[in-house]
Amino acid sequence: MPQLIFPFVELDIKYFDLGLPHRDATDDKVTIESAEATLKYNVAIKCATITLDEAHVKEFGLKSMWKSPNGTIRNILNGTVFREPIICKNVPRLIPEGKEETKELEVFNFTGSGGVALSMYNTDESIYAFGDASMNTAYQKKWPLYLSTKNTILKKYDGRHNFLMLLFKDIFQEVYETKWKSKFEAAGIWYEHRLIDDMVAYALKSDGGYVWACKNYDGDVQSDFLAQGIVFIIFFIINLFGFLRRSSGFSLTSYKVCPDGKTIEAEAAHGTVTRHYRVHQKGGETSTNSIASIFAWSRGLAHRAKLDDNARLLDFTEKLEAACVGTVESGKMTKDLALIIHGSKITRDHYLNTEEFIDAVAEDLKARLSC
Ligand code: NAP
Ligand code: MG
């Protein structure tokens, strides 16, 4: 992707190599340093990183099974993750229109030898930060805000049934009333808590234009619904289904916003795409969609532009994003998008390979910059 940024923008970038060998060589200190630098400079653009399992430790001969870099960084930044779809008009939405059939799946059946369970936690501090980041984003966008929880079932966790725990619903209400209510009302927007069941039904029917604060688990499920197997812990979804209903087609951009409202880390909402990388390593052709990564750069640089009051940089980032969408809408796209359009009837001339796609975006960008 260097041909989309470096010929056009002069940048003083601090690099932190979060590749496995360097994380191992520095006893993972580089991950911590990168997060500290993010707080210092206020803008970071992060590539997907490998979260280790035992097999990796063996394969790469690592000193230790280092912690998830995303977890380490998230804890240092105390950020809230936002996701936003990237829309191309010619790529149809993925969620088919509601068939009213019921599917029953067995989730667990603990017989004999037992099983396994999962527990979750949130600190009050992180819930306050989540509330503030959500309200701040809703206010910036001038969209209403909904927080969804399963407060009817997860009583201990979601509602105030334990006087020691100020919980999601209560904390959001407190943040709203003490800091945001009058601003929201002046802007003609509102904050509401909704039961997750109601919220999902509403999201599928609505035309969008709202901010949806999802707790970790719900956000993860909702975003995967759209992002097909993209694994990332999410606290927050912006306008996901609504946009899809209206104009369809997407890829996801993801960014973490810190409680200071000033520091962000942008990244693509997908992983390192290992399967494609293996093909590439063997000299094979890949058709990997780079739009989410390009948007990580454009969103990061746009934030830099806002902090520095740099109108030319902002203009560049807008043109870069327009070039991505314009390229796809002109029919030039990678295989994942072509598959959504053509399904099983897909042929090789429906899509470009990775390099051809980036070249096509570069060409479109140059045309936009010269006019
Ligand atoms: P992944 O890299 O997102 O890839 C999963 C599958 O999704 C790919 O095999 C591909 O499907 C499709 N896909 C994802 N991104 C695509 C793109 N840009 N263009 C086209 N297709 C795309 O997830 P993963 O395979 O579960 O994880 C791989 C590695 O990434 C792991 O080491 C994981 O720890 C790491 N990871 C990091 C982050 C992060 O740092 N934020 C997030 C998630 C995963 P097809 O193979 O069917 O084409
Ligand atoms: Mg997930």
Side-chain angles (χ1 to χ4, degrees), residues 252-267:
L252 285 171
T253 163
S254 165
Y255 47 104
K256 233 176 247 130
V257 180
C258 297
D260 66 4
K262 198 176 158 197
T263 303
I264 70 151
E265 181 204 72
E267 71 173 334

Side-chain angles (χ1 to χ4, degrees), residues 1 86-88 250-253 268 270 288-298 320-321 323-328 332-334 336-337 357-358 361:
M1 243 161 323
I86 302 162
I87 307 296
C88 302
F250 77 103
S251 182
L252 285 171
T253 163
H270 57 71
T288 311
N289 187 342
S290 36
I291 293 182
S293 300
I294 298 169
F295 268 62
W297 278 90
S298 60
L320 178 55
E321 293 189 0
C324 289
V325 174
T327 300
V328 174
K332 295 176 191 164
M333 64 189 79
T334 45
D336 55 313
L337 297 181
F357 179 73
I358 294 174
V361 174

Side-chain angles (χ1 to χ4, degrees), residues 139-178:
Y139 186 66
Q140 301 280 329
K141 295 205 172 265
K142 302 285 181 283
W143 286 348
L145 170 70
Y146 300 102
L147 165 73
S148 60
T149 71
K150 188 82 173 173
N151 63 324
T152 49
I153 301 293
L154 298 171
K155 292 198 166 88
K156 281 264 158 62
Y157 192 59
D158 285 344
R160 191 209 290 258
H161 277 248
N162 176 340
F163 71 97
L164 288 176
M165 246 204 279
L166 274 171
L167 301 150
F168 280 94
K169 193 172 169 237
D170 303 320
I171 290 178
F172 264 66
Q173 199 62 38
E174 184 194 321
V175 172
Y176 182 60
E177 276 166 21
T178 56

Side-chain angles (χ1 to χ4, degrees), residues 88-346:
C88 302
K89 289 196 188 73
N90 55 333
V91 183
R93 66 200 187 83
L94 281 165
I95 301 176
E97 207 67 50
K99 273 194 220 148
E100 294 190 14
E101 31 176 273
T102 315
K103 253 194 189 168
E104 284 189 20
L105 300 170
E106 185 167 292
V107 177
F108 82 97
N109 184 5
F110 282 147
T111 49
S113 59
V116 66
L118 171 75
S119 74
M120 288 190 242
Y121 74 89
N122 273 276
T123 61
D124 282 4
E125 195 194 7
S126 86
I127 305 173
Y128 277 105
F130 175 32
D132 249 331
S134 305
M135 312 251 167
N136 193 13
T137 298
Y139 186 66
Q140 301 280 329
K141 295 205 172 265
K142 302 285 181 283
W143 286 348
L145 170 70
Y146 300 102
L147 165 73
S148 60
T149 71
K150 188 82 173 173
N151 63 324
T152 49
I153 301 293
L154 298 171
K155 292 198 166 88
K156 281 264 158 62
Y157 192 59
D158 285 344
R160 191 209 290 258
H161 277 248
N162 176 340
F163 71 97
L164 288 176
M165 246 204 279
L166 274 171
L167 301 150
F168 280 94
K169 193 172 169 237
D170 303 320
I171 290 178
F172 264 66
Q173 199 62 38
E174 184 194 321
V175 172
Y176 182 60
E177 276 166 21
T178 56
K179 289 166 83 175
W180 294 95
K181 195 164 183 234
S182 55
K183 283 188 196 160
F184 270 46
E185 282 171 359
I189 57 173
W190 57 89
Y191 159 71
E192 265 174 36
H193 168 268
R194 289 196 179 194
L195 184 66
I196 182 74
D197 314 45
D198 295 344
M199 191 62 209
V200 170
Y202 170 70
L204 287 166
K205 280 182 297 204
S206 86
D207 276 327
Y210 55 88
V211 175
W212 181 358
C214 274
K215 296 210 289 78
N216 193 337
Y217 175 77
D218 298 326
D220 203 30
V221 173
Q222 304 303 347
S223 71
D224 280 1
F225 202 10
L226 297 158
Q228 304 180 88
I230 292 166
V231 182
F232 191 80
I233 295 174
I234 178 173
F235 288 91
F236 209 85
I237 300 185
I238 298 170
N239 200 21
L240 227 41
F241 294 91
F243 265 176
L244 290 171
R245 282 183 64 87
R246 203 176 315 157
S247 34
S248 22
F250 77 103
S251 182
L252 285 171
T253 163
S254 165
Y255 47 104
K256 233 176 247 130
V257 180
C258 297
D260 66 4
K262 198 176 158 197
T263 303
I264 70 151
E265 181 204 72
E267 71 173 334
H270 57 71
T272 59
V273 208
T274 312
R275 200 186 62 77
H276 296 207
Y277 179 63
R278 298 288 183 221
V279 172
H280 172 74
Q281 264 183 323
K282 288 187 189 133
E285 183 181 58
T286 58
S287 182
T288 311
N289 187 342
S290 36
I291 293 182
S293 300
I294 298 169
F295 268 62
W297 278 90
S298 60
R299 292 294 154 103
L301 293 178
H303 190 66
R304 182 80 268 159
K306 280 177 198 152
L307 292 178
D308 300 346
D309 219 354
N310 185 338
R312 282 181 68 207
L313 182 56
L314 192 62
D315 178 66
F316 169 77
T317 64
E318 283 164 3
K319 287 181 171 148
L320 178 55
E321 293 189 0
C324 289
V325 174
T327 300
V328 174
E329 290 184 349
S330 78
K332 295 176 191 164
M333 64 189 79
T334 45
K335 190 177 179 181
D336 55 313
L337 297 181
L339 265 169
I340 297 172
I341 297 178
H342 303 287
S344 57
K345 295 192 190 77
I346 192 169

